[in-house]
Amino acid sequence: MDWEEIRQAYPDQWLIIEAVEAHSEGGLRVLDRVAVIASCPDGEHAVETYRRLHDEFPEREFYFIHTSRAALQIEERLWVGIRSIHAD
Amino acid sequence: MRIEIDRGLPLVELRLGHAGRAVLIRRVLIDTGSGSTVLSSLRAKEIGLTIDPQDPIRTLRGVGGMEVVFVKRVDYIQVDRRKFKNFEVELSPLNYGLEINGILGLDFLIATRAVVDLKHKELRFGRATKEI
């Protein structure tokens, strides 16, 4: 589904979506194909659900987002990440 | 601010203030490898700062994998007695298995003219003004 189709199918609610296909372009993460994973009662639940899914499936690309947003508009930033010699 | 080196990582503590409330956030990593400043959404929630439908969303991507965050402009970040007002932070339910509650990124370190003094294990700020 694309974002407009999702907005019509799930109006005015918090969702967890997964980018099935995505690419980076001009500082944005562009989601070409999106699957809806869950609907959440509020934003906090959406963030918590994201955390759980992200921990369980770190290689998959999940987002928390509200369907009142006209466009996805996901900025992309680079981050080297934390590496500690003693980390588990 | 004293820097604590824990398991090879430099940590400080700060106070996050917004809408008349404030929370002390311990174990925040000083990270010049992060362009932005990320704080735990769980700590932010303690002062009523939660995600809103129109908050910008970003994805941080790199060697460490990928992380989705939402963006808030907060009233201030305070380190020791120095208050830096009207600062944009990224909030995320951080979980790196390292027990850290945030990342003080290069945006904050540059804006505050920070000096990371590893000889004395101290984080100082080079500007007299209290505002960024």
Side-chain angles (χ1 to χ4, degrees), chain A residues 18 31 76:
Chain A
E18 179 179 5
L31 313 190
E76 187 171 64

Side-chain angles (χ1 to χ4, degrees), chain A residues 4 8 10-13 17 22 24 26 33 37 39 42 44 59-60 62-64 75 79 81 84-86:
Chain A
E4 200 44 51
Q8 283 170 24
Y10 302 88
D12 199 36
Q13 55 192 286
I17 59 173
S24 302
R33 232 157 38 91
I37 303 297
S39 173
D42 56 44
E44 283 176 52
E59 73 290 351
R60 288 165 68 178
F62 300 107
Y63 294 89
F64 45 80
E75 273 183 66
W79 178 45
S84 163
I85 49 172
H86 300 295

Side-chain angles (χ1 to χ4, degrees), chain A residues 14 43-44 47 50-51 54-55 61-64 66 68-69 74-80 82 84 86, chain B residues 7 31 33-34 45 50-51 54-55 57-64 66-68 93 95-96 98 100:
Chain A
W14 284 100
E44 283 176 52
V47 174
Y50 161 81
R51 171 81 279 150
H54 185 60
D55 286 348
E61 188 171 337
F62 300 107
Y63 294 89
F64 45 80
H66 195 271
S68 64
R69 298 167 71 97
I74 301 164
E75 273 183 66
E76 187 171 64
R77 296 283 174 94
L78 292 178
W79 178 45
V80 175
I82 299 168
S84 163
H86 300 295
Chain B
R7 291 192 287 171
D31 186 2
S34 174
K45 189 173 146 185
T50 56
I51 188 169
Q54 299 300 323
D55 287 342
I57 289 172
R58 290 184 190 149
T59 174
L60 311 181
R61 298 172 63 81
V63 179
M66 187 195 138
E67 198 66 47
V68 180
N95 183 10
Y96 303 115
L98 292 168
I100 67 163

Side-chain angles (χ1 to χ4, degrees), chain B:
Chain B
M1 166 61 62
R2 195 179 68 83
I3 297 171
E4 180 197 351
I5 308 287
D6 180 39
R7 291 192 287 171
L9 295 173
L11 305 175
V12 291
E13 61 182 43
L14 58 82
R15 188 170 283 275
L16 170 67
H18 194 70
R21 301 171 71 182
V23 61
L24 179 68
I25 303 182
R26 294 199 165 88
R27 300 181 63 81
V28 176
L29 178 73
I30 300 172
D31 186 2
T32 55
S34 174
S36 51
T37 290
V38 192
L39 296 174
S40 163
S41 59
L42 304 175
R43 297 285 84 73
K45 189 173 146 185
E46 292 172 21
I47 55 168
L49 196 58
T50 56
I51 188 169
D52 289 314
Q54 299 300 323
D55 287 342
I57 289 172
R58 290 184 190 149
T59 174
L60 311 181
R61 298 172 63 81
V63 179
M66 187 195 138
E67 198 66 47
V68 180
V69 300
F70 59 100
V71 182
K72 291 277 190 190
R73 187 163 284 278
V74 299
D75 288 351
Y76 65 86
I77 289 176
Q78 184 178 343
V79 182
D80 277 338
R81 264 169 284 175
R82 296 285 296 276
K83 234 180 212 187
F84 303 99
K85 293 181 182 167
N86 193 30
F87 199 76
E88 184 188 277
V89 296
E90 297 171 345
L91 297 174
S92 158
L94 301 161
N95 183 10
Y96 303 115
L98 292 168
E99 288 178 44
I100 67 163
N101 292 305
I103 296 163
L104 217 42
L106 201 58
D107 57 346
F108 184 87
L109 298 171
I110 287 176
T112 58
R113 308 281 207 271
V115 177
V116 181
D117 179 347
L118 294 172
K119 182 179 178 189
H120 300 101
K121 294 201 177 59
E122 193 177 60
L123 177 64
R124 295 192 300 271
F125 303 102
R127 194 150 62 155
T129 174
K130 288 190 173 176
E131 297 202 30
I132 292 171

